Amino acid sequence: MGLMGKTALVTGAATGLGLAFAKRLAADGANVALADLKGADEPAAALAKHGHRVLGLRADVSSDESVTAMVAATVDRFGAVDILVNNAAVSSTLKLTPFEELTVGEWQHVLGVNTIGVFLCCRAVALPMRKKKSGRIINIASGTAFKGAPFLLHYIASKGAVMSMTRSLARELGGDNITVNAVSPGYTLSEGNLANAQFLAAQRDAAVSSRALPRDAYPDDLVGAVSFLASDDAAFITGQILAVDGGSVYH
Ligand SMILES: NC(=O)c1ccc[n+]([C@@H]2O[C@H](COP(=O)([O-])OP(=O)(O)OC[C@H]3O[C@@H](n4cnc5c(N)ncnc54)[C@H](O)[C@@H]3O)[C@@H](O)[C@H]2O)c1
């Protein structure tokens, strides 16, 4: 219960990794706002049944207005945002596409959510975090940005940008005692990825065979890293990208 009294905001928390992060932070004692484009009332209600203090929000991280409302609703309900997990992304719904066939519209959509969305959420929590002289921002990146991978160029570029933003924001926010780190998952069997037959065929076995620990990855494999980076134990760690991928990438 190391996060008792803290408030976490997790984006893209209706399903998959985001929901797993929200559950873990709630189990750690935090108040948790779960925000998602498709709403998060149902998973929030399920967590509330277990006695957790949670709030379900419908929010689009690519919209400045929606992000402002999401942070305001969280502060209204819990009085602060101490921890932001930037997890929302256009991810498991993508199709593997040769880069020559990607449109500018597809690029703009992916960058709008995965990169500009991270900027908007960081900007919106910066003021309340600076006032408290404390905060934790945890960005969810992707091992594909370290390794390169074919047929997802816009997605990989969006996650490479998130890694660069993590380092630069750490420098910009450190003076106010706000840490900014990233977790870089390998290919993980989230609900969304399990429903994407193309991803399963192309990535599952390849991911497992690339690992020092040669097995599938599940959302629960990632939650400890987020919990740690949100905790007081990680107070002097910032600007880091923690690969949680069974030992696939060493950087
Ligand atoms: N699962 C993996 O193998 C893997 C690997 C590396 C990185 N990641 C990253 O981890 C995160 C979660 O992965 P996942 O597999 O659970 O993804 P997913 O695609 O299954 O879920 C993403 C969630 O984000 C929400 N979302 C999408 N656009 C949004 C928007 N504009 N505003 C708010 N919410 C929005 C979706 O509704 C969904 O609930 C993503 O950032 C993804 O890029 C995943």
Side-chain angles (χ1 to χ4, degrees):
M1 302 299 274
L3 298 181
M4 191 64 91
K6 305 278 187 195
T7 295
L9 168 59
V10 183
T11 66
T15 183
L17 306 190
L19 179 55
F21 299 144
K23 283 182 179 167
R24 174 56 186 264
L25 295 173
D28 288 344
N31 311 317
V32 182
L34 297 86
D36 202 287
L37 187 60
K38 54 191 175 197
D41 285 347
E42 235 176 81
L47 280 172
K49 272 191 193 153
H50 287 93
H52 299 302
R53 290 167 306 281
V54 292
L55 173 65
L57 296 169
R58 184 178 300 277
D60 177 356
V61 299
S62 69
S63 154
D64 195 358
E65 203 183 3
S66 182
V67 167
T68 302
M70 170 183 81
V71 171
T74 305
V75 172
D76 269 6
R77 173 69 178 272
F78 296 123
V81 180
D82 302 293
I83 301 153
L84 167 67
V85 183
N86 278 311
N87 167 82
V90 183
S91 180
S92 68
T93 53
L94 288 168
K95 288 196 180 82
L96 298 175
T97 308
F99 87 94
E100 297 99 325
E101 293 170 23
L102 287 173
T103 66
V104 171
E106 287 169 322
W107 267 91
Q108 285 170 337
H109 177 51
V110 168
L111 293 178
V113 176
N114 298 12
T115 304
I116 296 177
V118 170
F119 155 67
L120 291 174
C121 293
C122 290
R123 192 178 64 175
V125 300
L127 187 63
M129 285 183 177
R130 281 189 195 276
K131 272 192 192 153
K132 280 187 86 170
K133 293 264 180 249
S134 150
R136 296 274 193 278
I137 296 175
I138 301 160
N139 297 325
I140 307 305
S142 167
T144 54
F146 284 125
K147 297 163 82 168
F151 310 132
L152 284 171
L153 195 65
H154 49 354
Y155 172 81
I156 294 164
S158 76
K159 293 296 185 176
V162 167
M163 289 182 178
S164 301
M165 288 158 70
T166 298
R167 293 175 172 137
S168 296
L169 274 178
R171 297 224 179 256
E172 204 161 328
L173 291 170
D176 281 320
N177 191 33
I178 299 164
T179 69
V180 188
N181 292 290
V183 168
S184 176
Y187 177 75
T188 302
L189 296 177
S190 61
E191 288 97 314
N193 273 355
L194 283 167
N196 186 327
Q198 202 193 24
F199 276 18
L200 276 175
Q203 296 179 357
R204 184 177 187 172
D205 291 346
V208 169
S209 62
S210 76
R211 293 177 180 149
L213 302 168
R215 66 162 174 83
D216 283 322
Y218 296 93
D220 278 350
D221 286 313
L222 291 153
V223 299
V226 168
S227 168
F228 167 65
L229 290 171
S231 75
D232 285 348
D233 287 340
F236 202 50
I237 298 174
T238 194
Q240 303 303 310
I241 300 164
L242 180 55
V244 184
D245 62 0
S248 180
V249 157
Y250 302 144
H251 71 98

